[in-house]
Amino acid sequence: MINFDYVKPSTQKAAIDALNKDASSQFIAGGTNLVDLMKRGVVSPEKLIDITNLPLKNIEQQKGFIRIGALALNSDVAEHELITKKLPLLSQALKAGASPQLRNMATVGGNMMQRTRCTYFYDLTMPCNKRQPGSGCGAIKGYNRMHAIFGASDKCIAVHPSDMCVALTALDATVVISSSKGDRRIPFADFHRLPGNNPEKDNNLQRGEMITAIEVPDNDVFTKNSLYVKIRDRASYAFALVSVAAALDIKGNTIVNARLAMGGVAHKPWRLTAAENFLKGKTISLENFKQAATIAMKDAKAYEHNNFKLRLAPNTIVETLKKVSGIT
Amino acid sequence: MSQEKAFIKDESLHNARRKFLKQSSALTALALAPPSLIKAADGNLDEKASALFEKQSLKIEVNGIQHELSVEPRVTLLDLLREQLHLTGSKKGCDYGQCGACTVHVNGKRVLSCLSLAIMQDGKKIRTIEGLADGDNLHPMQQAFIKHDGFQCGYCTPGQIMSAIACVNEGHANNEDDIRQNMSGNICRCGAYPNIVDAIMEVKQKGGPL
């Protein structure tokens, strides 16, 4: 690892000032992805700003939403009583990610900022437009079994690896971002980006900004019928081939509202808006779920090695909807 | 090599590096130094620039013993334990956070020491496999691993045991599935998993603080 300078500010203002002062500086919190990337030489910041002293770890009930500090640990969020009771989908998604040791280190903000696990991004001997813009994409004609089927470009077909972010997308969360200019809020679904011509940009966070909290609507109607299903190569501790976060507002036998998002299929958590709209007002039935899955898969495009996702993804949508609505 | 000798060697290297930085010509510096160092050297800020290679002070408690150390920011907790404190029980398996062999407890929580920067542990309490036994009396989890033959080659065992203790303490060892799910961050290529699960089940059933 190339050496770097290290500072540990004790206030948010000092941390943001330090970031603005030095163009090659970066925040570090859990470090589970950043230290890995630095060891491999994928990134080499000249200064790390340790933000773990900042008071951003609280998980609290506010009017109409639950506010989760950006530095709350993945394990603490997953086990927190407010989350297990009111946002079980988020708790399930967090527990489906990484390992207990990593969840004890990783923060909510860091989880959002983690980079893709595309092997071409990590392999310095291969081209990668995300790591080195303009160098090409090793995955498009390479071994692309783990890669995107939605929203990819001819520059990049990597997927975002987070489980937590899939749940937060389905739950209509809001990201609170602070900078020297003050705070701004953006919908969670607008935080991450599609690759387009600039796959080096994973998200819409600007230089000089810090994620300080996530606000998740405390929407009781979705609490009861929600589920995160993750399909992976082994039973635990692996990235998703495909995952589905589903939350249904059910009255009698009718779906009043649906929230659906997928992981492992795109450069960002993939919200299934068209399928949600289709399900609105429909009765609970296998036929409707199959149709919703077909609608969700409309623009899917596979590459040489991830063709299986074109069947796995709709099947996982149907299975998740069946389980969450209680039909067998 | 004794600890004392290792220290002296380390210090002399450190001094040599400082001397080099101060005396080197701009050309040599250009070839070897990171960009910010070059910028600093341009402004005759050699002394300030050497801060990039300077060690920072660190106070940590490891297995009940206080240490005042100085480390480069890039040193991981695992390397600090193994190379500076000579606690080689925590193993470097993959070094990329995928195998769990480096698992230690920081302030009572299990973490991966290979992905933890030592400098970020300032003021914290570390517990490693060396801190478990009380003299010749092994920790209950160590005894259970021996009794149930919870290892073959033994390389992953320190990480397995540190993780297993945390798994029980977290309340995540309620049944076999629970244990398997919550021990999934520790890979055993010999495949001792069934015996590891038995060892953890036994310790859990006996109860008591770990």
Side-chain angles (χ1 to χ4, degrees):
Chain A
M1 200 188 320
I2 296 172
N3 209 12
F4 49 86
D5 205 359
Y6 170 85
V7 290
K8 191 172 188 177
S10 51
T11 66
Q12 191 176 306
K13 187 185 176 300
I16 291 172
D17 285 351
L19 188 70
N20 282 325
K21 214 170 87 184
D22 192 337
S24 174
S25 62
Q26 226 174 308
F27 290 142
I28 185 166
T32 57
N33 190 208
L34 183 56
V35 174
D36 183 15
L37 290 165
M38 288 170 69
K39 280 186 176 183
R40 295 172 197 263
V42 177
V43 296
S44 44
E46 285 174 34
K47 182 189 271 184
L48 285 187
I49 304 163
D50 178 352
I51 57 171
T52 55
N53 257 356
L54 306 186
L56 299 171
K57 298 183 179 81
N58 278 357
I59 301 164
E60 57 202 5
Q61 177 76 59
Q62 307 232 345
K63 203 172 178 214
F65 61 90
I66 292 166
R67 186 182 163 97
I68 305 169
L71 288 174
L73 297 178
N74 283 194
S75 52
D76 288 343
V77 180
E79 303 276 350
H80 198 280
E81 204 185 351
L82 264 180
I83 308 299
T84 54
K85 273 191 180 157
K86 295 194 167 179
L87 306 171
L89 181 65
L90 177 58
S91 181
Q92 289 167 19
L94 279 163
K95 286 182 184 172
S99 69
Q101 290 98 311
L102 289 164
R103 295 198 292 271
N104 274 342
M105 303 165 73
T107 62
V108 167
N111 188 316
M112 293 166 64
M113 295 302 290
Q114 67 178 309
R115 312 299 307 270
T116 183
R117 296 317 197 277
C118 173
T119 50
Y120 297 95
F121 175 68
Y122 279 79
D123 185 345
L124 301 184
T125 66
M126 296 300 291
C128 171
N129 287 322
K130 185 180 279 299
R131 175 169 32 81
Q132 197 182 347
S135 63
C137 172
I140 288 175
K141 290 193 172 161
Y143 187 61
N144 45 34
R145 182 170 174 272
M146 299 296 288
H147 291 71
I149 52 171
F150 291 113
S153 74
D154 60 358
K155 299 283 191 293
C156 179
I157 60 169
V159 297
H160 194 262
S162 171
D163 293 295
M164 179 195 81
C165 293
V166 181
L168 288 173
T169 300
L171 292 167
D172 262 345
T174 299
V175 187
V176 185
I177 295 168
S178 302
S179 71
S180 54
K181 293 174 201 146
D183 287 358
R184 69 180 178 114
R185 284 174 162 73
I186 59 169
F188 199 91
D190 294 341
F191 181 81
H192 294 99
R193 294 165 53 102
L194 288 179
N197 286 322
N198 299 95
E200 72 279 9
K201 288 182 183 163
D202 291 348
N203 55 61
N204 290 311
L205 197 72
Q206 306 295 310
R207 183 76 203 166
E209 290 186 323
M210 174 194 276
I211 304 166
T212 46
I214 303 299
E215 293 172 349
V216 193
D218 162 20
N219 203 336
D220 284 344
V221 294
F222 289 112
T223 301
K224 201 175 146 201
N225 304 299
S226 66
L227 187 67
Y228 189 74
V229 173
K230 180 176 181 181
I231 310 295
R232 44 191 158 180
D233 284 329
R234 52 188 182 203
S236 184
Y237 197 25
F239 290 103
L241 293 166
V242 161
S243 70
V244 174
L248 299 181
D249 174 9
I250 299 172
K251 279 219 173 73
N253 200 34
T254 305
I255 299 163
V256 181
N257 249 314
R259 300 273 187 77
L260 288 170
M262 288 185 95
V265 294
H267 197 261
K268 60 185 285 186
W270 194 246
R271 183 88 181 245
L272 308 178
T273 316
E276 288 177 3
N277 290 339
F278 168 80
L279 286 171
K280 214 171 171 176
K282 296 281 190 308
T283 53
I284 292 168
S285 75
L286 183 59
E287 196 44 47
N288 280 336
F289 293 162
K290 282 183 176 169
Q291 271 201 55
T294 305
I295 290 166
M297 296 301 295
K298 189 173 159 272
D299 296 319
K301 183 196 167 196
Y303 298 84
E304 189 181 353
H305 302 283
N306 68 351
N307 212 37
F308 70 98
K309 288 191 182 182
L310 295 183
R311 281 181 65 203
L312 183 62
N315 286 347
T316 310
I317 294 172
V318 172
E319 279 307 303
T320 309
L321 287 170
K322 277 168 67 180
K323 277 187 189 154
V324 81
S325 60
I327 64 169
T328 46
Chain B
M1 188 187 288
S2 75
Q3 210 160 335
E4 198 182 12
K5 271 185 189 162
F7 179 72
I8 291 166
K9 192 184 168 205
D10 201 44
E11 276 301 290
S12 62
L13 261 177
H14 181 53
N15 289 335
R17 207 154 41 194
R18 286 189 62 141
K19 207 171 164 191
F20 157 76
L21 275 168
K22 283 180 181 168
Q23 293 176 350
S24 63
S25 69
L27 201 65
T28 327
L30 203 68
L32 297 169
S36 71
L37 189 62
I38 296 164
K39 264 182 260 158
D42 284 343
N44 291 322
L45 294 169
D46 288 17
E47 194 62 40
K48 197 179 167 192
S50 68
L52 272 179
F53 291 127
E54 211 72 72
K55 293 179 176 181
Q56 297 196 16
S57 63
L58 167 69
K59 282 186 193 174
I60 51 169
E61 185 186 310
V62 181
N63 300 329
I65 299 167
Q66 295 285 346
H67 295 271
E68 288 194 29
L69 304 157
S70 66
V71 294
E72 284 186 346
R74 65 176 155 183
V75 172
T76 61
L77 177 58
L78 178 63
D79 284 341
L80 179 90
L81 292 169
R82 292 181 56 86
E83 308 295 333
Q84 285 198 48
L85 302 180
H86 305 285
L87 296 170
T88 52
S90 307
K91 294 290 182 276
K92 187 178 273 196
C94 68
D95 206 25
Y96 292 107
Q98 297 175 354
C99 76
C102 68
T103 303
V104 299
H105 297 176
V106 175
N107 288 351
K109 281 187 171 174
R110 52 173 156 166
V111 301
L112 300 177
S113 61
C114 79
L115 289 183
S116 303
L117 294 174
I119 193 73
M120 291 178 73
Q121 315 309 315
D122 192 37
K124 293 182 181 169
K125 290 181 181 176
I126 319 293
R127 194 185 190 195
T128 72
I129 189 80
E130 289 91 345
L132 294 185
D134 179 12
D136 287 339
N137 295 322
L138 292 181
H139 183 280
M141 193 63 80
Q142 291 174 311
Q143 290 176 27
F145 266 65
I146 293 170
K147 180 180 164 190
H148 291 277
D149 210 6
F151 51 85
Q152 186 176 312
C153 82
Y155 195 81
C156 73
T157 312
Q160 296 281 2
I161 289 176
M162 295 314 288
S163 204
I165 292 168
C167 184
V168 173
N169 284 341
E170 290 160 6
H172 288 152
N174 297 314
N175 52 56
E176 196 179 317
D177 280 353
D178 203 22
I179 291 170
R180 284 181 180 275
Q181 187 67 236
N182 284 287
M183 287 296 291
S184 64
N186 293 79
I187 310 292
C188 170
R189 287 295 79 142
C190 301
Y193 299 116
N195 299 357
I196 292 171
V197 172
D198 289 348
I200 298 172
M201 290 281 274
E202 185 184 283
V203 174
K204 166 76 179 177
Q205 275 154 16
K206 278 187 183 163
L210 297 176

